Amino acid sequence: IAEQLAQQLVLDFKKGCILCSFCSYQLPGTENVAVSSGSLTEEIRQRTRMRGSLSWAPPRFQIIFTVQPTHRRSEVVASQHFLCAGCGTEVEPRYIKKLRYCEYLGRYFCDCCHSGSEAVIPGRVLSCWDFGRYPVSDFSKQLLDSVWQQPLFDLTCVGKNLYSKVKELDRFREVQDQLLGIKKLLKACRLSESVLAELEHLPAHLREQSNLFSMDDLQKVKKGQLVPQAKAVLQSAITHVENCELCLARGFICEFCREKDIIFPFQTDICKRCPECKACFHKKCFVVKRCPKCARIQSRKDLLSGSGPHNSK
């Protein structure tokens, strides 16, 4: 009787929607499920598989930045209501040892949803620089493969301690900061096409923003591949700047020591920028609050406002 009533309610609802020319709504999850005159059991099963139920829901796309905490198998399976986390199949308590654990989602799956695939777990990379491959469900494997080259990991928000733990990663940050600085100079030079083309060999996000990485980038750092590549591009760019009159004309002379060598903001190892006027000086020469350019700017402002020494009484 209950099944017939449920079927009749669905039919009545659909008939009402058809009769109302302004009504185009459907019950959530019913768009691709046809109501037949037969049993409603299969329809409910399909709808449940798409939307889940009160005790189970299908895995959803999510990026997990942490390592799953360790719990006893029985506790985790019980929290899943003795259902496979992938398809919702009920599992008798005596068979829970046959379920397979997904290191990414921290849930247990039947062998239909977990074929024994392995993957790098982002949380382990971000917390302890561990690129080992761990068992994951088929859903997690597909998800992790799909985002492997996507720049989703901002190390100012997640994995904040990696720079201090991983020297190679910190070296890359130094090289990248110089690349980002010299790129501005190169883009203003009409003779730098070939160098900019070399820069294109790096992933776009690494050329545009610091601290943002994909798992692929981090693994290349681990393998010692990314730093040499970035250094080679940086050296080509520096060589161009040192031999290009247009680029040299955009450089700075240190106004503290007045030496003739031309310096640039991207030379972070030897140069310091004034935080106010952005002029560039030797690190060893720069004195806070004694910037010559700032002094000139202030003097000019005083003259324009009529508050200079020659006007004061």
Side-chain angles (χ1 to χ4, degrees):
I1 296 175
E3 183 177 290
Q4 292 175 356
L5 178 60
Q7 188 173 19
Q8 189 60 47
L9 287 171
V10 173
L11 288 170
D12 289 345
F13 179 84
K14 288 194 172 184
K15 287 178 182 177
C17 288
I18 293 172
L19 292 173
C20 178
S21 60
F22 298 99
C23 180
S24 60
Y25 298 98
Q26 289 182 297
L27 285 173
T30 64
E31 296 83 358
N32 300 314
V33 180
V35 177
S36 65
S37 58
S39 171
L40 194 63
T41 304
E42 183 60 29
E43 178 187 354
I44 294 174
R45 184 181 293 112
Q46 290 183 47
R47 204 176 298 162
T48 299
R49 187 172 182 83
M50 288 185 288
R51 296 187 299 153
S53 63
L54 292 176
S55 58
W56 172 85
R60 60 188 176 84
F61 186 99
Q62 56 182 320
I63 305 301
I64 301 174
F65 301 106
T66 57
V67 179
Q68 293 293 345
T70 302
H71 295 294
R72 294 176 60 183
R73 177 187 292 256
S74 58
E75 294 175 350
V76 178
V77 177
S79 72
Q80 296 176 199
H81 306 285
F82 293 92
L83 303 173
C84 166
C87 63
T89 299
E90 188 173 356
V91 181
E92 292 186 25
R94 57 179 172 167
Y95 293 125
I96 64 172
K97 289 186 178 180
K98 293 186 177 182
L99 295 175
R100 297 174 176 177
Y101 185 66
C102 173
E103 291 280 350
Y104 182 67
L105 292 174
R107 293 288 182 267
Y108 284 91
F109 294 75
C110 67
D111 54 6
C112 291
C113 299
H114 193 319
S115 58
S117 299
E118 296 182 339
V120 174
I121 309 298
R124 291 185 177 273
V125 174
L126 298 171
S127 62
C128 52
W129 202 236
D130 177 8
F131 285 87
R133 300 180 68 82
Y134 294 85
V136 294
S137 65
D138 296 346
F139 173 85
S140 297
K141 173 65 174 173
Q142 185 178 2
L143 184 156
L144 293 171
D145 285 349
S146 70
V147 303
W148 180 253
Q149 293 184 320
Q150 300 301 317
L152 303 174
F153 307 96
D154 186 340
L155 297 191
T156 62
C157 301
V158 295
K160 296 179 182 180
N161 298 323
L162 279 184
Y163 285 123
S164 59
K165 290 181 180 179
V166 185
K167 291 183 179 179
E168 192 75 357
L169 188 61
D170 194 45
R171 290 193 195 98
F172 177 78
R173 177 170 62 171
E174 293 175 359
V175 175
Q176 186 188 35
D177 286 344
Q178 293 182 68
L179 278 173
L180 293 176
I182 203 170
K183 179 187 172 184
K184 297 177 183 177
L185 187 64
L186 295 174
K187 293 188 77 172
C189 176
R190 58 183 173 81
L191 304 176
S192 64
E193 292 89 348
S194 60
V195 183
L196 287 173
E198 287 187 48
L199 193 60
E200 296 288 328
H201 294 159
L202 290 172
H205 56 276
L206 296 181
R207 306 192 307 264
E208 301 294 336
Q209 182 179 340
S210 58
N211 303 310
L212 190 63
F213 296 89
S214 67
M215 279 292 115
D216 187 55
D217 299 328
L218 295 176
Q219 188 171 68
K220 286 180 178 178
V221 172
K222 170 77 171 180
K223 292 181 177 180
Q225 299 172 347
L226 194 56
V227 174
Q229 182 185 5
K231 280 186 174 180
V233 176
L234 177 61
Q235 187 55 54
S236 295
I238 291 175
T239 300
H240 168 83
V241 170
E242 291 177 342
N243 294 278
C244 175
E245 292 184 2
L246 296 179
C247 290
L248 290 173
R250 295 178 179 273
F252 293 83
I253 297 292
C254 178
E255 294 188 60
F256 283 101
C257 65
R258 296 288 181 178
E259 291 184 5
K260 294 183 178 180
D261 59 315
I262 300 175
I263 55 179
F264 296 90
F266 68 82
Q267 296 172 312
T268 53
D269 54 335
I270 63 170
C271 296
K272 172 74 175 180
R273 297 199 81 171
C274 172
E276 300 297 328
C277 68
K278 307 303 181 184
C280 193
F281 308 93
H282 290 121
K283 271 186 178 180
K284 60 182 180 180
C285 301
F286 184 72
V287 179
V288 179
K289 294 184 179 180
R290 291 185 57 186
C291 170
K293 184 175 180 180
C294 284
R296 289 198 305 274
I297 293 173
Q298 186 59 49
S299 178
R300 191 177 301 116
K301 286 181 179 179
D302 292 342
L303 288 172
L304 291 173
S305 64
S307 60
H310 60 286
N311 290 327
S312 60
K313 294 182 181 181

